[in-house]
Amino acid sequence: MTDAPRRALARTTLAGAALACLAVASAAGAQTTNNAPTAAAARTEGPATRPWMNATLTPDARVDLLLKEMTLDEKLQLTFGYFATSADWLKTPTKNWAYPKDGLPGSAGIVPGIPRLGIPNQWQTDAGVGVASQRGPTPRLRTSLPAGIATAATWNPEVAEAGGAMIGNEAYLSGFNIMLAGGMNLLREPRNGRNFEYGGEDPLLAGVITGHEIKGIQSQHVVSTMKHYAFNGQETNRFTMDHRIGEQAARQSDLLAFQIANEVGQPGSVMCAYNRVNGAYACENDWLLNTVLKTDWGFKGYVMSDWGATHSTSAAANAGLDQQSGWAFDRSPYFADALREAVNNGHVTEARANDMARRVLWGMVSVGALDTPVKGDRATTIDYAAHAAVTRTDAEEGIVLLKNTPGLLPLAKTARSILLIGAHADLGVLSGGGSSQVYSYNAPTNGLVVPDAYPSGFPGPKLYHASSPMKALQARTSATVTYLDGKDVAAATAAARKADVVIVFGEQWTGESLDVPDLNLPDKQDALIAAVARANRKTVVVLETGGPVLMPWLSNVGAVLEAWYPGTAGGEAIARVLTGEVNPSGHLPATFPASVAQLPRPKLEGDPKLDRDSHPMGNYDIEGAAIGYKWFDRTGAKPLFPFGYGLSYTSFAMNGLTAAADGKTVKASFQVRNTGAVAGKTVAQLYVAGAGWEAPKRLGGFQKVALAPGASETVSLTIDPRLLATYDTTTHGWRIAAGDYKVMLATSANDVVQTTTVRLAAQTLDKGGK
């Protein structure tokens, strides 16, 4: 990516809201924590007495000064974290668990600080879409962004960064300085229950979008944790699964996504995953942590474990784990007394113990967590109105128009009656479950507007945000808008025959720890949609899903919108798109298959009945780096909807593609023109093709362009050299082969509008891809 996207998107409306977030955080600076002095006090004591508080020094220099003052016990204290929810929030408290001193109720955890040195506690909060609470009677109510996959569907780095700044601000004002956000796992398995948290199937798109979210979070003096590193592609047997993959495929897929996000966002922390990779647990995997992350990429921050992902003391520490998180989800407090003993007896060197502490401190210092410490929960100062504007913009730009019969959408002003069916569209919009769950600040009762339909515990509750599509539509149309829950199919079809337009809301609830059994809408919703469509050809389907789904009724409905889990202001966003107040501009960040038979693994790998000590293997070498659209290109299968696909209420033309070699990369330019009657945004996509790759083509660049009717813009993009190269496992570096490369201008992975050819000389890149 170049600076061009920022120039092209400067016209977006989110800038003011994002600046409002930053202004609130800036005004909140120089506050105290329970254990740390104010920034003003620290300046009074230093830099003569506390030279590490001199903010003009580099983070490296400041950490060096801190380490000189610390005892070994103090250094090791930074490597061990406690789960910090309160006992009354847990139906069955974890064995050996006790509520930690200074913990915040309902939070993810705490790592005690060093008060005498001005090192604050590390107060940790879930997760990727906002300040999340553990399930309990009095959850913390905050603003929720749309699902991560929805933000990826915006293809808009500025939207992602503004959203990150918003949730980072709410974390800061809620008393947290660590946010367990930055989900990065590529969508290898469409049935994965956590796909909604992540950034889709392509390493460039996922890396850029998630990297900008991380950057936004850390602009608020909050450490962001890029996760789940790595190859955490499913929830079935997530604690035991051993994913096998060759190094070249690994480097050109999931690891490239993490690498790009690391470069863009510079996260203070990386969270290692539950699963094994090529035999070793991700949190004690020397190749993943020491070789790839810390050596090849030069990562300076710290590696924290996922909650329950630590399995040893010396082996984990020596393999690169810097912090055991969330005790007591693990079998033992491996990084408490046992780590101190391991250092004392030489199984873990003191140099390694210093490195562990250094990395934790670097992560905190680099985001300003020492200079601008948090001061407890000050949610009363959160600007919820400004934050609602940020999350609504994210939802609107992420909604994908998949089908539209001419004249149906946007909703005609002549419609006298509109019938809404299903998914509690009279009350709210669906949210994904698990540790990322944010409870709506605008909900009347403990964040719930619909009684919990998943009362059996985690990953519930099944929650709907209090943003009613029905009420939002009623405010925007003179038509009579009514609602039926759809449980009585005969009643729904009878009502559909009488309505001018019918909008069926289809839902697919997914959550952490659960994979979906297939890609059909559950609870006979497909049959409901088919019946309603037979009764009224003017049927619109709005999907609230965590990822791709099948659509056996597609040919019979008039229009389809993919709204994902659209967040706190999702009902407003959906209504604004349906009525044309907002022109849809989302594009798919993942391929929608026509059937599970098209997938690399038609049957999900891993037997969920295996016990914790068993470890089934998953063969990621089936597709290797050919994930998503690359797999479909390679196999010739035709998807239901391709990666990058998305319609608009206007039309666009792209032409004038030119491309030329420029050192180790390729620079391309082209023109985009709005040929329709209304303003809109589109996503211009560049794909590249070379010989000997994992698939016929790769996404090489993209830019979202906003244009008035008749307006045009020249777009220039630079292709990352790694997207022209293959990873050489012999030299452990990237190599560009000499030869001709196709550069393709496209509107989706399946819709190429113009192609040109560039000849490149043979070249080598370093391990960082330069």
Side-chain angles (χ1 to χ4, degrees), residues 498-516:
K498 300 176 183 178
D500 289 338
V501 178
V502 182
I503 305 174
V504 184
F505 285 76
E507 65 173 27
Q508 174 211 48
W509 184 67
T510 63
E512 180 181 355
S513 80
L514 299 174
D515 292 325
V516 295

Side-chain angles (χ1 to χ4, degrees), residues 519-543:
L519 297 181
N520 298 300
L521 294 177
D523 304 321
K524 301 179 180 179
Q525 292 177 86
D526 288 328
L528 170 66
I529 295 170
V532 169
R534 286 193 297 268
N536 190 325
R537 63 185 181 86
K538 291 185 177 180
T539 294
V540 179
V541 177
V542 176
L543 294 170

Side-chain angles (χ1 to χ4, degrees), residues 301-500:
Y302 64 105
V303 177
M304 66 161 63
S305 65
D306 204 341
W307 274 227
T310 306
H311 298 275
S312 64
T313 300
S314 298
N318 289 330
L321 181 63
D322 301 303
Q323 186 181 86
Q324 179 185 5
S325 307
W327 165 252
F329 280 86
D330 298 305
R331 288 183 170 179
S332 179
Y334 297 107
F335 278 21
D337 292 341
L339 179 58
R340 186 175 296 104
E341 180 180 351
V343 174
N344 287 337
N345 64 28
H347 291 299
V348 175
T349 66
E350 190 165 345
R352 173 65 185 127
N354 286 336
D355 180 59
M356 295 164 78
R358 169 186 293 280
R359 291 178 173 278
V360 174
L361 291 170
W362 188 93
M364 298 179 72
V365 170
S366 67
V367 303
L370 272 65
D371 305 311
T372 314
V374 293
K375 185 187 177 182
D377 189 342
R378 292 180 293 138
T380 55
T381 63
I382 293 174
D383 188 343
Y384 287 110
H387 292 188
V390 174
T391 189
R392 193 189 71 192
T393 296
D394 194 327
E396 290 166 356
E397 291 215 17
I399 291 174
V400 185
L401 180 61
L402 295 174
K403 178 180 180 179
N404 191 23
T405 301
L408 183 52
L409 292 180
L411 293 172
K413 298 185 185 299
T414 56
R416 294 172 296 175
S417 61
I418 301 173
L419 173 63
L420 274 59
I421 300 176
H424 301 287
D426 57 330
L427 297 174
V429 291
L430 188 61
S431 173
S435 61
S436 65
Q437 183 63 71
V438 177
Y439 292 77
S440 298
Y441 72 89
N442 55 352
T445 307
N446 289 342
L448 298 178
V449 295
V450 174
D452 181 14
Y454 192 85
S456 57
F458 195 84
K462 183 180 179 183
L463 184 145
Y464 295 79
H465 291 301
S467 180
S468 164
M470 184 179 76
K471 291 179 180 178
L473 276 173
Q474 288 171 334
R476 289 170 169 78
T477 178
S478 59
T480 300
V481 182
T482 56
Y483 172 79
L484 289 175
D485 62 20
K487 293 179 180 179
D488 185 334
V489 177
T493 54
R497 291 188 187 99
K498 300 176 183 178
D500 289 338

Side-chain angles (χ1 to χ4, degrees), residues 495-724:
R497 291 188 187 99
K498 300 176 183 178
D500 289 338
V501 178
V502 182
I503 305 174
V504 184
F505 285 76
E507 65 173 27
Q508 174 211 48
W509 184 67
T510 63
E512 180 181 355
S513 80
L514 299 174
D515 292 325
V516 295
D518 53 48
L519 297 181
N520 298 300
L521 294 177
D523 304 321
K524 301 179 180 179
Q525 292 177 86
D526 288 328
L528 170 66
I529 295 170
V532 169
R534 286 193 297 268
N536 190 325
R537 63 185 181 86
K538 291 185 177 180
T539 294
V540 179
V541 177
V542 176
L543 294 170
E544 297 174 21
T545 73
V549 292
L550 304 180
M551 304 178 201
W553 34 259
L554 179 63
S555 62
N556 297 318
V557 302
V560 181
L561 282 177
E562 175 57 80
W564 317 103
Y565 302 147
T568 299
E572 289 280 323
I574 290 170
R576 279 161 58 87
V577 170
L578 286 171
T579 59
E581 190 173 338
V582 169
N583 193 343
S585 63
H587 285 244
L588 292 180
T591 304
F592 277 44
S595 73
V596 294
Q598 295 178 326
L599 303 178
R601 284 164 290 279
K603 182 179 179 181
L604 190 67
E605 291 178 328
D607 184 352
K609 299 181 181 65
L610 291 174
D611 64 45
R612 186 182 176 97
D613 291 320
S614 302
H615 55 282
M617 289 190 293
N619 184 7
Y620 278 175
D621 275 325
I622 293 173
E623 75 277 28
I627 302 171
Y629 68 92
K630 297 176 184 179
W631 173 259
F632 280 78
D633 278 354
R634 196 169 87 181
T635 61
K638 183 179 179 181
L640 185 64
F641 290 106
F643 173 83
Y645 180 84
L647 302 176
S648 171
Y649 295 151
T650 189
S651 56
F652 297 91
M654 300 182 193
N655 53 41
L657 174 65
T658 62
D662 184 30
K664 295 181 178 181
T665 189
V666 169
K667 289 188 175 181
S669 66
F670 50 89
Q671 280 198 332
V672 182
R673 183 178 180 84
N674 184 341
T675 57
V678 296
K681 298 176 184 177
T682 191
V683 177
Q685 301 159 46
L686 280 182
Y687 293 85
V688 289
W693 289 1
E694 71 278 3
K697 64 177 180 291
R698 301 166 175 166
L699 180 68
F702 63 89
Q703 182 167 317
K704 199 160 196 179
V705 183
L707 292 170
S712 63
E713 182 170 316
T714 299
V715 176
S716 297
L717 294 174
T718 300
I719 297 172
D720 189 311
R722 289 166 293 194
L723 299 173
L724 300 166

Side-chain angles (χ1 to χ4, degrees), residues 262-326:
N262 177 57
E263 292 163 357
V264 172
Q266 294 292 294
S269 181
V270 165
M271 180 188 291
C272 50
Y274 289 123
N275 53 280
R276 292 173 170 90
V277 179
N278 294 330
Y281 280 112
C283 288
E284 52 185 48
N285 193 305
D286 179 74
W287 176 69
L288 277 179
L289 304 183
N290 285 332
T291 300
V292 177
L293 179 66
K294 295 180 177 180
T295 301
D296 293 352
W297 300 352
F299 176 69
K300 291 185 176 182
Y302 64 105
V303 177
M304 66 161 63
S305 65
D306 204 341
W307 274 227
T310 306
H311 298 275
S312 64
T313 300
S314 298
N318 289 330
L321 181 63
D322 301 303
Q323 186 181 86
Q324 179 185 5
S325 307

